[in-house]
Amino acid sequence: MSVELPDWYILKDPGDISIDIANWYKFAETRLERFLAEDEWIINKPTWMSDGDWLTAKSEEFGGHLLLRLAVTTDPRLTSWLVEVEGDLFEFRFISSTKFEERIQVLRDLYGNNNVKTTDEINDFYKIDLNRKFNLADTRYRSAKYAKTKYGSKTKILDTRLAVQFHKIPKVVGAKKALLYHGWAIVRLADIRLAVKREFEKQLKDVIEKSKALIEKDKELEQTVKPIKDRIAEIARSTRYSGDYKTIGFDEGDAIYTKPDIFPPCIQELVATLQAKGHLSHVENWQLGTFLKRIGMSVEDQLKFWYSNSVDNVGMTYDEFTQRVGYQINHIYGKTGGGIDYDPPSCKTCIDGYFCYWAHKKLEEINEDIKVKMADRKSEDVEKAIEEISRLIISQKHQSACARYFSLLTGWKVRGFQINHMLKYSQDAYKRFYSKKDTETPVKKEEVTKGKED
Amino acid sequence: MDEKLTPEILSEYYEKKFPIDTFMAYIGLSNFKNREFGFVVGQDRFVRNISFQNTEKLLDFMVNKSVKHSYVGAVYETPPSREHPIQKIKWSYREFIYDIDIDEYDLVRTCGCQGDQYCKECWSLVQDAAVFIDKTMREDFGFKDIVWFFSGRRGVHGWVKDSITQDFDQRQRVAILDYLTFIHDEKRSQSIDEIPNEAKPLRNRIYALTAKSYLEKSTPKKLHEFGISINKAKEIIKQVQNSTDFDHTKYNILIPDDSAVRKKLSSEIVLRRYPRIDRKVTMDTRRVSRMPFSVHGKTGQIAIEIKDIKNFYPDSAPTIWEALM
């Protein structure tokens, strides 16, 4: 008997469902509230429920999700937020599903029908017994490892093995967490759950991107989804990094923005691009503007900064420029618009939709930049760091590449070996080079160059 | 190299002996005009971003320019040229290639050879590496069409020709490399990863192939350093040398069941004999690689196809002068 894709899998074609516009908002609101409450729920048809009631439940699930999809499609920040929360929910449902066949169907939908098999299918096809051939019985259940996760009670499920074509899960293969047999990666569910989640998120992002055209050509639809978009923006903001420059480790009264050497590489690159080309993309403007605000630059100083660097000011007096661009700067500071005090995006968000130096700049250019910046260092150390950084970039570990660069620059190791936020980078760089709290006198860069490499 | 590698000799080789049809059979005719080539010409000038309308024009170029070194690169959506360099055009595909060079083993060679030098003893490291990679590609990754070429000087190149590999992006190529990698920072710290339990075929292959090579060349005194008694060490070496079907099961029976001993020994086996791959060649999708059957401009040797990698020794590869005789 063939098993269909489960109804909790929101990338599935929902089939014929009709949604009353009045309920549409309610469904989307309900979904948002559940995300907010960190509620993770599964929809499965109870045996006692009528088909009609079940169709209504499905409409709520898919209708709510589809409205959220449409609402975020024109805003990369909101898209990232929705992809993240839907990804968490998907992961929970995928692991918690009681039917193994359902999981296989989901994997086949994500990776392609011919790229996923059960271990029984592999055994039948190759006329072998994987368990016996590789003595899999001697690999212990990983109860202790799982116990600390929210899936602690699902040890047996997480230890279940299945087969995926190796090139579909490169990270798992590279980490040697798969038993490879004729191109099939025989993996435990526990070892691919994150890869599966990432694939789901990637595909969800693609479908959201595709629905952008719907909104762009239908202004009425754009107005319809606007209340939900505003609501998502409100929620997304409240869950982002918060704090101001006084509380994140900079000394009061210190004009941090005059110390570009503590800026993370993404911001240094944006400043250099702005100075060279005279303009940035909309999201890059936002990234740079919110960063400068958080490190203490006033509205007035930002206006002067953009006026002196931007090509938008050609033929314009400062006052004219202020009148034209001032609204956007004031918006960043929450002095116009919704009155929201915005924070710069996290590294993960930058990688997905803003500018990440490690994710978006060419590897060769990065290597060249590092060589130039570290010209006074021992060339062997720099070469070694460049090789390590290159490996991390190629393995898509951009935040770790940033951490490795930070270590090269400062001689300090980064906890967790990854940078999660541009403010954290600057906070630590500030502590290293300038903070009076940690050092009586600022540590000179020249001294660091002779410091120990990690 | 006793004779001088003159432009006339090079032109003559490419005109009369270079097996262009066999070479084309390896890279395929489709999209030929969008394929990048690179050459060392004249006074050691390296030129790339070159493409040709057809194979005749490629051959004409090689003959007329008396190319010293010839390289073949990836296929792009449009023909690469100086006006449209590969950095500015869209990449389509490239062969999946391994490069094993003897100088990667400089820190663990005990024969005294360094750099480009090699002898029967240290060349066995390259032979072992190629056999190990070949077997892993076939048994673990399911590839079927793998060809080995001599690089012309100090190593060998493995071309995985299964069509699926051509489309692999850098992420997928790196994943395969990472799966195979146990030694990090090979020319400096040489840190060794532990052999994982989950990747059993790889682990079993290390115990069957790499361990055999190490143990049969070892001495009782050396094994004694890992905590194995001299008598047991003698027995291990003798049994391994006499075994024609050594595998991981025999390794497990033979080596004392002491986790500290096993851990130290397996790290030493990996350090001394495990394959060392030039990662950049495999992972860089825009790299050019030596053209099979071309001449190495420094040695005059031909980059021939290797039929029996286990027993191939560089001296058996013909030189351009032998080819023209």
Side-chain angles (χ1 to χ4, degrees), chain B residues 144-179:
Chain B
K144 293 180 176 66
D145 195 0
I146 304 163
V147 191
W148 290 90
F149 293 99
F150 176 43
S151 74
R153 184 165 61 158
R154 60 180 178 194
V156 294
H157 296 165
W159 284 46
V160 182
K161 289 179 62 233
D162 295 64
S163 58
I164 189 178
T165 62
Q166 293 194 334
D167 297 329
F168 282 169
D169 59 22
Q170 214 166 46
R171 217 167 35 107
Q172 290 164 315
R173 289 168 198 247
V174 167
I176 299 174
L177 274 177
D178 285 347
Y179 177 79

Side-chain angles (χ1 to χ4, degrees), chain A residues 217-422:
Chain A
K217 66 182 176 195
D218 187 344
K219 290 289 157 199
E220 206 175 313
L221 185 59
E222 190 176 3
Q223 283 309 308
T224 307
V225 301
K226 193 170 181 311
I228 288 296
K229 183 180 177 180
D230 292 343
R231 176 76 182 117
I232 297 171
E234 196 183 319
I235 293 170
R237 272 194 306 273
S238 67
T239 54
R240 263 191 259 134
Y241 187 95
S242 62
D244 61 37
Y245 74 99
K246 284 176 191 163
T247 58
I248 62 171
F250 301 138
D251 294 340
E252 211 164 335
D254 204 350
I256 307 303
Y257 54 87
T258 61
K259 299 174 171 54
D261 52 333
I262 64 148
F263 292 2
C266 55
I267 296 298
Q268 289 193 18
E269 184 73 11
L270 289 181
V271 172
T273 306
L274 179 67
Q275 287 170 344
K277 293 184 179 171
H279 62 88
L280 296 172
S281 71
H282 174 70
V283 290
E284 289 168 347
N285 281 336
W286 184 269
Q287 183 176 339
L288 179 55
T290 48
F291 174 82
L292 292 173
K293 178 189 78 169
R294 273 288 174 254
I295 60 164
M297 197 182 248
S298 66
V299 179
E300 292 69 31
D301 284 337
Q302 272 228 41
L303 281 167
K304 284 176 197 161
F305 169 81
W306 290 99
Y307 179 70
S308 61
N309 289 304
S310 171
V311 290
D312 292 345
N313 63 358
V314 176
M316 251 192 267
T317 64
Y318 178 66
D319 285 343
E320 285 167 343
F321 177 79
T322 307
Q323 277 174 10
R324 193 178 142 192
V325 184
Y327 177 84
Q328 290 163 29
I329 305 290
N330 278 307
H331 188 77
I332 286 172
Y333 283 76
K335 294 188 174 180
T336 54
I340 297 143
D341 190 15
Y342 291 99
D343 286 308
S346 69
C347 290
K348 197 168 179 287
T349 310
C350 287
I351 291 166
D352 287 344
Y354 286 75
F355 176 74
C356 167
Y357 178 80
W358 311 101
H360 302 131
K361 196 165 179 183
K362 278 186 186 167
L363 188 56
E364 307 84 66
E365 291 172 2
I366 290 174
N367 291 349
E368 205 46 45
D369 284 357
I370 297 175
K371 277 181 195 163
V372 172
K373 279 181 191 165
M374 305 292 162
D376 54 350
R377 303 286 184 95
K378 207 170 145 193
S379 65
E380 280 174 12
D381 294 344
V382 176
E383 284 297 334
K384 186 188 168 204
I386 286 176
E387 195 175 329
E388 286 174 21
I389 287 169
S390 300
R391 281 187 193 181
L392 291 166
I393 292 171
I394 290 161
S395 315
Q396 309 280 308
K397 292 174 182 166
H398 305 113
Q399 291 164 256
S400 300
C402 198
R404 180 65 186 87
Y405 175 76
F406 183 88
S407 301
L408 175 68
L409 188 74
T410 62
W412 280 9
K413 282 188 180 174
V414 175
R415 195 174 296 167
F417 200 63
Q418 71 171 31
I419 301 287
N420 294 317
H421 202 282
M422 57 183 88

Side-chain angles (χ1 to χ4, degrees), chain A residues 170-184:
Chain A
K171 271 195 175 179
V172 180
V173 170
K176 301 185 186 78
K177 284 183 176 169
L179 183 161
L180 289 186
Y181 187 73
H182 291 278
W184 291 98

Side-chain angles (χ1 to χ4, degrees), chain B residues 83-98:
Chain B
E83 293 73 35
H84 300 102
I86 56 159
Q87 292 84 357
K88 291 186 178 169
I89 53 177
K90 207 168 170 210
W91 179 88
S92 290
Y93 60 85
R94 181 199 179 233
E95 282 73 17
F96 186 61
I97 298 172
Y98 286 102

Side-chain angles (χ1 to χ4, degrees), chain B residues 35-84:
Chain B
R35 166 94 60 177
E36 189 203 8
F37 289 89
F39 303 95
V40 172
V41 290
Q43 296 299 312
D44 288 340
R45 190 163 62 92
F46 180 50
V47 288
R48 57 185 295 188
N49 289 304
I50 298 176
S51 55
F52 300 94
Q53 278 297 314
N54 51 49
T55 53
E56 288 75 32
K57 289 199 167 147
L58 164 67
L59 206 50
D60 283 349
F61 182 95
M62 293 168 83
V63 172
N64 294 334
K65 299 276 183 188
S66 309
V67 294
K68 277 188 183 167
H69 296 270
S70 311
Y71 303 93
V72 55
V75 171
Y76 297 84
E77 283 195 352
T78 51
S81 64
R82 195 183 289 176
E83 293 73 35
H84 300 102

